[in-house]
Amino acid sequence: MASTLPYDVQSIRSEFPILQRKVKGKSLVYFDNAATAQKPKQVIDAITHYYSHYNANIHRGLHTLADEATAAFEASRAAVQAFIGAKQHEEIIFTKGTTESINLVSNAWGNVFLEAGDEIIISSLEHHANIVPWQMIAERKGAVIRVIPIDADGRLDMEAYKKMLSSKTKMVSVVHASNALGVINPIEQIIQLAHQHGALALVDGAQSAVHLDIDVQSLDCDFFVFSGHKTYGPTGVGILYGKRHILESMQPYQGGGEMIKEVSFEKSTYNELPFKFEAGTPNIADVIALQFGIDFISRIGKAAIRQHEAELLAYASSKLRLVEGLKIRGDVEEKVSVVSFTIEGVHPQDLAILLDNQGIAVRTGHHCAQPLMNCLGVVGTTRASFAAYNTIEEIDILIEALNKSLKMLK
Ligand SMILES: *Cc1c(COP(=O)(O)O)cnc(C)c1O
């Protein structure tokens, strides 16, 4: 049950050891959460505890340590299942990140089901991780990639999407919330339309999983992918959710231990789900720690965090709009807590260096979305992205530092 107490941001901050540190003599202001979130002590401790107390390989051993490690590993799978509302734990596959999850699908599904002339639809808002794997499989199979255009504010052109769909469409793979702009896409409608044309739908949830309530069964997506490190968990762990019957119909992604039932030199038979897609020794420590990142979110409550972040976003946006020559990119209603902007006559990189000198971490550049930057006609943006532990005071520090930097740059 989520707490009904007022949102206590100072107590939340105290759970994140890194927030105590200084950068260039100033208290760290961390606004690069869309690249990776900081980790609560619970997550850090879980990794140390695993290596100090029950490090063992999983699923095979017949000894106490192996049993404990297997139980903790599978508890993470159950936590992820509950976090996104999957029907069965077999539908949760551990990978090393969103990137690997999409590569797994593009290969293990695409190798079986894609043929020359088939079409894959992505959008102009995609991260490179949801572009390049599709280009690679499309090239091998002779399939064609089509791209949903956006308007000047980063909203998808849904009419263009509808016209693009046909019996040739085999896969629609679209980001739920843009990492570069924060814009939330009408994902339910995108999925429904894909299904009406007999196509599958993959949702890149790398940004949405941490901010929005996710229920893969009501979304009815065929695949949902995200990264542990953007949900207060460790790096090196990703999630692939897939509907069971679709995962069953796919080829394994990698061959090796764990993913097989029986092996002879002539032929091997594959293991059941989810192990069919988890070849080799997985990232046991980080998978185990992931459940504590999810636990942090559940304990504070996603709705409470979302409300706090919405206040930060509204406050930051209103202050930024007052800065001369500044334009917020993707300035729409439906957004996660990301604010991306450009300033006339200022190169984002110069600004980032001056902000870092004042202890402030923001992201600048193309945000792994170069085609999107081309659509917007910019080389890059400066992006501030907010998490559960950020404060209004930190935004004031950013605005003050920004104004000071602009005096030096202009
Ligand atoms: C971060 C991100 C990715 C890639 O995630 P990795 O953890 O680097 O694999 C893909 N899509 C979006 C929208 C992202 O924000």
Side-chain angles (χ1 to χ4, degrees), residues 288-338:
I288 289 173
L290 172 65
Q291 65 197 285
F292 296 95
I294 290 174
D295 181 69
F296 166 78
I297 298 172
S298 312
R299 188 157 43 79
I300 310 296
K302 240 187 195 177
I305 297 175
R306 189 158 60 241
Q307 194 192 326
H308 174 71
E309 290 172 344
E311 284 164 19
L312 296 175
L313 179 66
Y315 184 74
S317 302
S318 71
K319 292 282 172 183
L320 286 169
R321 283 192 198 99
L322 301 175
V323 175
E324 208 188 301
L326 185 145
K327 184 170 165 52
I328 296 177
R329 302 289 172 163
D331 201 0
V332 300
E333 274 292 304
E334 292 292 310
K335 273 178 78 165
V336 294
S337 51
V338 169

Short mmCIF file of all heavy atoms in Angstrom, two decimals, residues 288-338:
data_model
loop_
_atom_site.label_atom_id
_atom_site.label_comp_id
_atom_site.label_asym_id
_atom_site.label_seq_id
_atom_site.Cartn_x
_atom_site.Cartn_y
_atom_site.Cartn_z
N ILE A 288 18.97 -9.47 -9.01
CA ILE A 288 18.47 -9.52 -7.64
C ILE A 288 18.23 -8.12 -7.09
O ILE A 288 17.20 -7.83 -6.48
CB ILE A 288 19.44 -10.32 -6.73
CG1 ILE A 288 19.37 -11.81 -7.09
CG2 ILE A 288 19.13 -10.09 -5.25
CD1 ILE A 288 20.41 -12.68 -6.38
N ALA A 289 19.18 -7.21 -7.35
CA ALA A 289 19.07 -5.85 -6.81
C ALA A 289 17.92 -5.06 -7.45
O ALA A 289 17.36 -4.16 -6.83
CB ALA A 289 20.38 -5.10 -6.99
N LEU A 290 17.57 -5.44 -8.67
CA LEU A 290 16.52 -4.72 -9.39
C LEU A 290 15.21 -4.67 -8.59
O LEU A 290 14.51 -3.65 -8.59
CB LEU A 290 16.27 -5.41 -10.75
CG LEU A 290 15.07 -4.91 -11.56
CD1 LEU A 290 15.27 -3.47 -11.99
CD2 LEU A 290 14.84 -5.81 -12.77
N GLN A 291 14.87 -5.76 -7.89
CA GLN A 291 13.59 -5.78 -7.17
C GLN A 291 13.54 -4.71 -6.09
O GLN A 291 12.45 -4.26 -5.72
CB GLN A 291 13.31 -7.17 -6.58
CG GLN A 291 14.29 -7.59 -5.51
CD GLN A 291 14.24 -9.09 -5.25
OE1 GLN A 291 13.31 -9.59 -4.63
NE2 GLN A 291 15.23 -9.81 -5.74
N PHE A 292 14.73 -4.27 -5.62
CA PHE A 292 14.73 -3.23 -4.59
C PHE A 292 14.53 -1.83 -5.19
O PHE A 292 14.04 -0.94 -4.51
CB PHE A 292 16.01 -3.32 -3.75
CG PHE A 292 16.09 -4.62 -2.99
CD1 PHE A 292 16.77 -5.71 -3.52
CD2 PHE A 292 15.42 -4.76 -1.79
CE1 PHE A 292 16.79 -6.93 -2.84
CE2 PHE A 292 15.44 -5.97 -1.11
CZ PHE A 292 16.13 -7.05 -1.64
N GLY A 293 14.89 -1.66 -6.46
CA GLY A 293 14.55 -0.43 -7.17
C GLY A 293 13.04 -0.33 -7.36
O GLY A 293 12.42 0.71 -7.12
N ILE A 294 12.46 -1.46 -7.77
CA ILE A 294 11.00 -1.52 -7.94
C ILE A 294 10.31 -1.32 -6.60
O ILE A 294 9.31 -0.61 -6.50
CB ILE A 294 10.61 -2.88 -8.57
CG1 ILE A 294 11.09 -2.92 -10.02
CG2 ILE A 294 9.11 -3.12 -8.48
CD1 ILE A 294 10.89 -4.25 -10.70
N ASP A 295 10.89 -1.91 -5.56
CA ASP A 295 10.32 -1.76 -4.23
C ASP A 295 10.33 -0.30 -3.78
O ASP A 295 9.36 0.18 -3.17
CB ASP A 295 11.10 -2.62 -3.23
CG ASP A 295 10.52 -2.51 -1.83
OD1 ASP A 295 9.40 -3.01 -1.63
OD2 ASP A 295 11.16 -1.89 -0.96
N PHE A 296 11.40 0.40 -4.11
CA PHE A 296 11.47 1.84 -3.77
C PHE A 296 10.28 2.58 -4.40
O PHE A 296 9.58 3.34 -3.74
CB PHE A 296 12.80 2.44 -4.25
CG PHE A 296 12.80 3.95 -4.25
CD1 PHE A 296 12.95 4.66 -3.06
CD2 PHE A 296 12.60 4.65 -5.43
CE1 PHE A 296 12.90 6.05 -3.06
CE2 PHE A 296 12.57 6.03 -5.43
CZ PHE A 296 12.71 6.74 -4.25
N ILE A 297 10.04 2.32 -5.69
CA ILE A 297 8.94 3.01 -6.39
C ILE A 297 7.60 2.65 -5.76
O ILE A 297 6.77 3.53 -5.49
CB ILE A 297 8.94 2.62 -7.89
CG1 ILE A 297 10.24 3.07 -8.56
CG2 ILE A 297 7.73 3.24 -8.61
CD1 ILE A 297 10.41 2.56 -9.99
N SER A 298 7.40 1.37 -5.47
CA SER A 298 6.11 0.93 -4.92
C SER A 298 5.90 1.50 -3.52
O SER A 298 4.78 1.84 -3.14
CB SER A 298 6.04 -0.59 -4.85
OG SER A 298 6.44 -1.14 -6.07
N ARG A 299 6.98 1.58 -2.75
CA ARG A 299 6.88 2.05 -1.36
C ARG A 299 6.47 3.52 -1.34
O ARG A 299 5.60 3.92 -0.57
CB ARG A 299 8.23 1.84 -0.69
CG ARG A 299 8.27 2.11 0.79
CD ARG A 299 9.42 1.36 1.46
NE ARG A 299 10.67 1.43 0.71
CZ ARG A 299 11.50 2.49 0.72
NH1 ARG A 299 11.21 3.56 1.41
NH2 ARG A 299 12.63 2.46 0.03
N ILE A 300 7.09 4.35 -2.18
CA ILE A 300 6.71 5.77 -2.21
C ILE A 300 5.38 5.91 -2.95
O ILE A 300 4.55 6.76 -2.62
CB ILE A 300 7.79 6.62 -2.93
CG1 ILE A 300 9.19 6.33 -2.39
CG2 ILE A 300 7.46 8.11 -2.85
CD1 ILE A 300 9.43 6.68 -0.96
N GLY A 301 5.16 5.08 -3.93
CA GLY A 301 3.92 5.13 -4.72
C GLY A 301 4.17 5.86 -6.03
O GLY A 301 4.60 7.01 -6.03
N LYS A 302 3.86 5.17 -7.13
CA LYS A 302 4.09 5.78 -8.44
C LYS A 302 3.28 7.06 -8.60
O LYS A 302 3.76 8.04 -9.15
CB LYS A 302 3.70 4.79 -9.54
CG LYS A 302 4.85 4.43 -10.45
CD LYS A 302 4.35 3.59 -11.61
CE LYS A 302 5.53 2.93 -12.29
NZ LYS A 302 5.14 2.03 -13.37
N ALA A 303 2.04 7.05 -8.10
CA ALA A 303 1.19 8.24 -8.27
C ALA A 303 1.76 9.42 -7.51
O ALA A 303 1.77 10.55 -8.01
CB ALA A 303 -0.22 7.92 -7.79
N ALA A 304 2.28 9.17 -6.30
CA ALA A 304 2.85 10.25 -5.50
C ALA A 304 4.12 10.79 -6.17
O ALA A 304 4.33 12.01 -6.23
CB ALA A 304 3.17 9.74 -4.09
N ILE A 305 4.95 9.90 -6.68
CA ILE A 305 6.17 10.33 -7.39
C ILE A 305 5.78 11.13 -8.62
O ILE A 305 6.34 12.18 -8.91
CB ILE A 305 7.05 9.12 -7.77
CG1 ILE A 305 7.53 8.38 -6.53
CG2 ILE A 305 8.24 9.58 -8.62
CD1 ILE A 305 8.32 7.11 -6.82
N ARG A 306 4.79 10.62 -9.33
CA ARG A 306 4.37 11.29 -10.58
C ARG A 306 3.88 12.71 -10.29
O ARG A 306 4.19 13.65 -11.00
CB ARG A 306 3.30 10.47 -11.29
CG ARG A 306 2.97 10.97 -12.68
CD ARG A 306 2.35 9.89 -13.56
NE ARG A 306 1.12 9.39 -12.99
CZ ARG A 306 0.92 8.13 -12.63
NH1 ARG A 306 1.86 7.22 -12.80
NH2 ARG A 306 -0.23 7.75 -12.12
N GLN A 307 3.11 12.85 -9.22
CA GLN A 307 2.60 14.17 -8.88
C GLN A 307 3.75 15.12 -8.52
O GLN A 307 3.78 16.27 -8.95
CB GLN A 307 1.61 14.07 -7.73
CG GLN A 307 0.80 15.34 -7.56
CD GLN A 307 0.03 15.39 -6.25
OE1 GLN A 307 -0.44 14.35 -5.78
NE2 GLN A 307 -0.10 16.58 -5.69
N HIS A 308 4.69 14.62 -7.73
CA HIS A 308 5.85 15.42 -7.35
C HIS A 308 6.62 15.84 -8.61
O HIS A 308 6.98 17.02 -8.77
CB HIS A 308 6.74 14.60 -6.41
CG HIS A 308 8.03 15.27 -6.06
ND1 HIS A 308 8.10 16.36 -5.23
CD2 HIS A 308 9.31 15.00 -6.44
CE1 HIS A 308 9.37 16.75 -5.13
NE2 HIS A 308 10.13 15.93 -5.85
N GLU A 309 6.86 14.90 -9.49
CA GLU A 309 7.61 15.20 -10.71
C GLU A 309 6.85 16.17 -11.62
O GLU A 309 7.47 17.00 -12.29
CB GLU A 309 7.91 13.90 -11.48
CG GLU A 309 8.93 13.02 -10.76
CD GLU A 309 9.08 11.65 -11.41
OE1 GLU A 309 8.21 11.24 -12.20
OE2 GLU A 309 10.08 10.97 -11.11
N ALA A 310 5.52 16.06 -11.64
CA ALA A 310 4.72 16.97 -12.46
C ALA A 310 4.86 18.40 -11.94
O ALA A 310 4.92 19.35 -12.72
CB ALA A 310 3.26 16.53 -12.48
N GLU A 311 4.91 18.53 -10.61
CA GLU A 311 5.11 19.87 -10.02
C GLU A 311 6.48 20.42 -10.41
O GLU A 311 6.61 21.59 -10.76
CB GLU A 311 4.99 19.79 -8.48
CG GLU A 311 3.54 19.69 -8.02
CD GLU A 311 3.41 19.22 -6.56
OE1 GLU A 311 4.40 19.32 -5.80
OE2 GLU A 311 2.31 18.75 -6.21
N LEU A 312 7.49 19.56 -10.35
CA LEU A 312 8.84 19.99 -10.75
C LEU A 312 8.86 20.41 -12.22
O LEU A 312 9.43 21.45 -12.57
CB LEU A 312 9.86 18.86 -10.52
CG LEU A 312 10.09 18.39 -9.08
CD1 LEU A 312 11.03 17.18 -9.07
CD2 LEU A 312 10.67 19.51 -8.22
N LEU A 313 8.21 19.61 -13.05
CA LEU A 313 8.20 19.89 -14.49
C LEU A 313 7.49 21.21 -14.77
O LEU A 313 7.98 22.04 -15.55
CB LEU A 313 7.52 18.74 -15.25
CG LEU A 313 7.41 18.93 -16.76
CD1 LEU A 313 8.80 18.92 -17.41
CD2 LEU A 313 6.54 17.84 -17.39
N ALA A 314 6.35 21.42 -14.13
CA ALA A 314 5.57 22.64 -14.37
C ALA A 314 6.37 23.86 -13.90
O ALA A 314 6.42 24.89 -14.59
CB ALA A 314 4.23 22.56 -13.65
N TYR A 315 6.99 23.73 -12.73
CA TYR A 315 7.76 24.84 -12.18
C TYR A 315 8.97 25.16 -13.08
O TYR A 315 9.19 26.32 -13.45
CB TYR A 315 8.22 24.49 -10.77
CG TYR A 315 8.95 25.61 -10.05
CD1 TYR A 315 8.25 26.71 -9.56
CD2 TYR A 315 10.34 25.58 -9.88
CE1 TYR A 315 8.91 27.74 -8.90
CE2 TYR A 315 11.01 26.61 -9.24
CZ TYR A 315 10.29 27.69 -8.75
OH TYR A 315 10.95 28.71 -8.11
N ALA A 316 9.70 24.12 -13.46
CA ALA A 316 10.88 24.32 -14.31
C ALA A 316 10.47 24.93 -15.66
O ALA A 316 11.11 25.87 -16.14
CB ALA A 316 11.61 23.00 -14.53
N SER A 317 9.40 24.41 -16.24
CA SER A 317 8.98 24.91 -17.55
C SER A 317 8.59 26.37 -17.46
O SER A 317 8.96 27.18 -18.33
CB SER A 317 7.79 24.09 -18.09
OG SER A 317 8.15 22.73 -18.17
N SER A 318 7.86 26.76 -16.40
CA SER A 318 7.42 28.15 -16.28
C SER A 318 8.62 29.08 -16.09
O SER A 318 8.65 30.17 -16.65
CB SER A 318 6.41 28.30 -15.15
OG SER A 318 7.07 28.15 -13.91
N LYS A 319 9.61 28.64 -15.34
CA LYS A 319 10.82 29.47 -15.14
C LYS A 319 11.65 29.55 -16.42
O LYS A 319 12.20 30.60 -16.76
CB LYS A 319 11.68 28.89 -14.02
CG LYS A 319 11.05 28.99 -12.65
CD LYS A 319 11.18 30.40 -12.10
CE LYS A 319 10.38 30.54 -10.82
NZ LYS A 319 10.42 31.90 -10.28
N LEU A 320 11.75 28.43 -17.12
CA LEU A 320 12.58 28.40 -18.34
C LEU A 320 11.97 29.29 -19.43
O LEU A 320 12.69 29.95 -20.17
CB LEU A 320 12.73 26.96 -18.85
CG LEU A 320 13.67 26.06 -18.04
CD1 LEU A 320 13.54 24.61 -18.48
CD2 LEU A 320 15.12 26.51 -18.18
N ARG A 321 10.64 29.32 -19.49
CA ARG A 321 9.99 30.13 -20.53
C ARG A 321 10.33 31.61 -20.40
O ARG A 321 10.22 32.36 -21.36
CB ARG A 321 8.46 29.95 -20.46
CG ARG A 321 8.01 28.64 -21.07
CD ARG A 321 6.49 28.58 -21.26
NE ARG A 321 6.09 27.20 -21.44
CZ ARG A 321 5.58 26.44 -20.47
NH1 ARG A 321 5.37 26.94 -19.26
NH2 ARG A 321 5.28 25.18 -20.71
N LEU A 322 10.76 32.03 -19.21
CA LEU A 322 11.10 33.43 -18.99
C LEU A 322 12.50 33.79 -19.50
O LEU A 322 12.86 34.95 -19.59
CB LEU A 322 11.01 33.78 -17.49
CG LEU A 322 9.64 33.54 -16.82
CD1 LEU A 322 9.73 33.81 -15.33
CD2 LEU A 322 8.58 34.42 -17.48
N VAL A 323 13.30 32.75 -19.81
CA VAL A 323 14.67 33.00 -20.25
C VAL A 323 14.65 33.45 -21.72
O VAL A 323 14.04 32.78 -22.57
CB VAL A 323 15.54 31.73 -20.09
CG1 VAL A 323 16.94 31.95 -20.66
CG2 VAL A 323 15.60 31.31 -18.62
N GLU A 324 15.33 34.56 -21.99
CA GLU A 324 15.29 35.13 -23.33
C GLU A 324 15.89 34.18 -24.37
O GLU A 324 16.97 33.64 -24.17
CB GLU A 324 16.07 36.44 -23.32
CG GLU A 324 15.58 37.43 -24.37
CD GLU A 324 16.52 38.63 -24.44
OE1 GLU A 324 16.67 39.29 -23.40
OE2 GLU A 324 17.10 38.85 -25.51
N GLY A 325 15.16 34.00 -25.47
CA GLY A 325 15.66 33.19 -26.57
C GLY A 325 15.53 31.69 -26.35
O GLY A 325 15.93 30.90 -27.20
N LEU A 326 14.94 31.30 -25.20
CA LEU A 326 14.84 29.87 -24.90
C LEU A 326 13.54 29.29 -25.46
O LEU A 326 12.48 29.89 -25.33
CB LEU A 326 14.90 29.65 -23.38
CG LEU A 326 14.93 28.19 -22.90
CD1 LEU A 326 15.79 28.04 -21.65
CD2 LEU A 326 13.54 27.62 -22.65
N LYS A 327 13.67 28.12 -26.08
CA LYS A 327 12.49 27.44 -26.60
C LYS A 327 12.45 26.01 -26.08
O LYS A 327 13.41 25.26 -26.24
CB LYS A 327 12.53 27.44 -28.14
CG LYS A 327 11.30 26.85 -28.79
CD LYS A 327 11.32 27.11 -30.30
CE LYS A 327 10.32 26.24 -31.06
NZ LYS A 327 8.95 26.27 -30.57
N ILE A 328 11.33 25.67 -25.43
CA ILE A 328 11.17 24.29 -24.97
C ILE A 328 10.74 23.45 -26.17
O ILE A 328 9.82 23.82 -26.90
CB ILE A 328 10.12 24.20 -23.83
CG1 ILE A 328 10.63 24.99 -22.62
CG2 ILE A 328 9.84 22.75 -23.48
CD1 ILE A 328 9.66 25.04 -21.45
N ARG A 329 11.42 22.34 -26.36
CA ARG A 329 11.10 21.45 -27.48
C ARG A 329 10.19 20.33 -26.95
O ARG A 329 10.51 19.71 -25.95
CB ARG A 329 12.37 20.85 -28.07
CG ARG A 329 13.37 21.90 -28.55
CD ARG A 329 12.86 22.59 -29.80
NE ARG A 329 13.70 23.71 -30.19
CZ ARG A 329 13.67 24.26 -31.40
NH1 ARG A 329 12.84 23.79 -32.33
NH2 ARG A 329 14.44 25.28 -31.69
N GLY A 330 9.09 20.12 -27.66
CA GLY A 330 8.13 19.12 -27.17
C GLY A 330 7.33 19.69 -26.02
O GLY A 330 7.13 19.04 -24.99
N ASP A 331 6.87 20.94 -26.19
CA ASP A 331 6.14 21.62 -25.11
C ASP A 331 4.66 21.27 -25.18
O ASP A 331 3.83 22.08 -25.58
CB ASP A 331 6.37 23.14 -25.25
CG ASP A 331 6.12 23.86 -23.94
OD1 ASP A 331 5.79 23.18 -22.94
OD2 ASP A 331 6.25 25.10 -23.91
N VAL A 332 4.33 20.04 -24.81
CA VAL A 332 2.94 19.57 -24.90
C VAL A 332 2.43 19.19 -23.51
O VAL A 332 3.21 19.12 -22.55
CB VAL A 332 2.83 18.35 -25.85
CG1 VAL A 332 3.30 18.71 -27.25
CG2 VAL A 332 3.64 17.16 -25.32
N GLU A 333 1.13 18.94 -23.42
CA GLU A 333 0.51 18.58 -22.14
C GLU A 333 0.98 17.22 -21.61
O GLU A 333 1.38 17.08 -20.48
CB GLU A 333 -1.02 18.52 -22.32
CG GLU A 333 -1.72 19.86 -22.16
CD GLU A 333 -1.65 20.38 -20.73
OE1 GLU A 333 -2.09 19.64 -19.82
OE2 GLU A 333 -1.16 21.51 -20.53
N GLU A 334 0.89 16.23 -22.50
CA GLU A 334 1.13 14.85 -22.07
C GLU A 334 2.62 14.54 -22.09
O GLU A 334 3.19 14.19 -23.12
CB GLU A 334 0.40 13.88 -23.01
CG GLU A 334 -1.11 13.93 -22.91
CD GLU A 334 -1.59 13.41 -21.56
OE1 GLU A 334 -1.16 12.32 -21.14
OE2 GLU A 334 -2.39 14.13 -20.91
N LYS A 335 3.26 14.69 -20.93
CA LYS A 335 4.70 14.51 -20.86
C LYS A 335 5.12 13.80 -19.59
O LYS A 335 4.47 13.92 -18.56
CB LYS A 335 5.39 15.89 -20.86
CG LYS A 335 5.67 16.45 -22.23
CD LYS A 335 6.29 17.82 -22.13
CE LYS A 335 7.76 17.74 -21.79
NZ LYS A 335 8.45 19.02 -22.03
N VAL A 336 6.23 13.09 -19.65
CA VAL A 336 6.90 12.67 -18.43
C VAL A 336 7.84 13.81 -18.03
O VAL A 336 7.98 14.80 -18.77
CB VAL A 336 7.67 11.33 -18.61
CG1 VAL A 336 6.69 10.19 -18.87
CG2 VAL A 336 8.70 11.42 -19.72
N SER A 337 8.50 13.68 -16.89
CA SER A 337 9.22 14.83 -16.31
C SER A 337 10.58 15.08 -16.97
O SER A 337 11.64 14.90 -16.37
CB SER A 337 9.38 14.62 -14.81
OG SER A 337 9.94 13.36 -14.55
N VAL A 338 10.49 15.47 -18.23
CA VAL A 338 11.67 15.78 -19.04
C VAL A 338 11.43 17.14 -19.67
O VAL A 338 10.36 17.35 -20.25
CB VAL A 338 11.85 14.73 -20.17
CG1 VAL A 338 12.89 15.19 -21.18
CG2 VAL A 338 12.21 13.36 -19.60
#
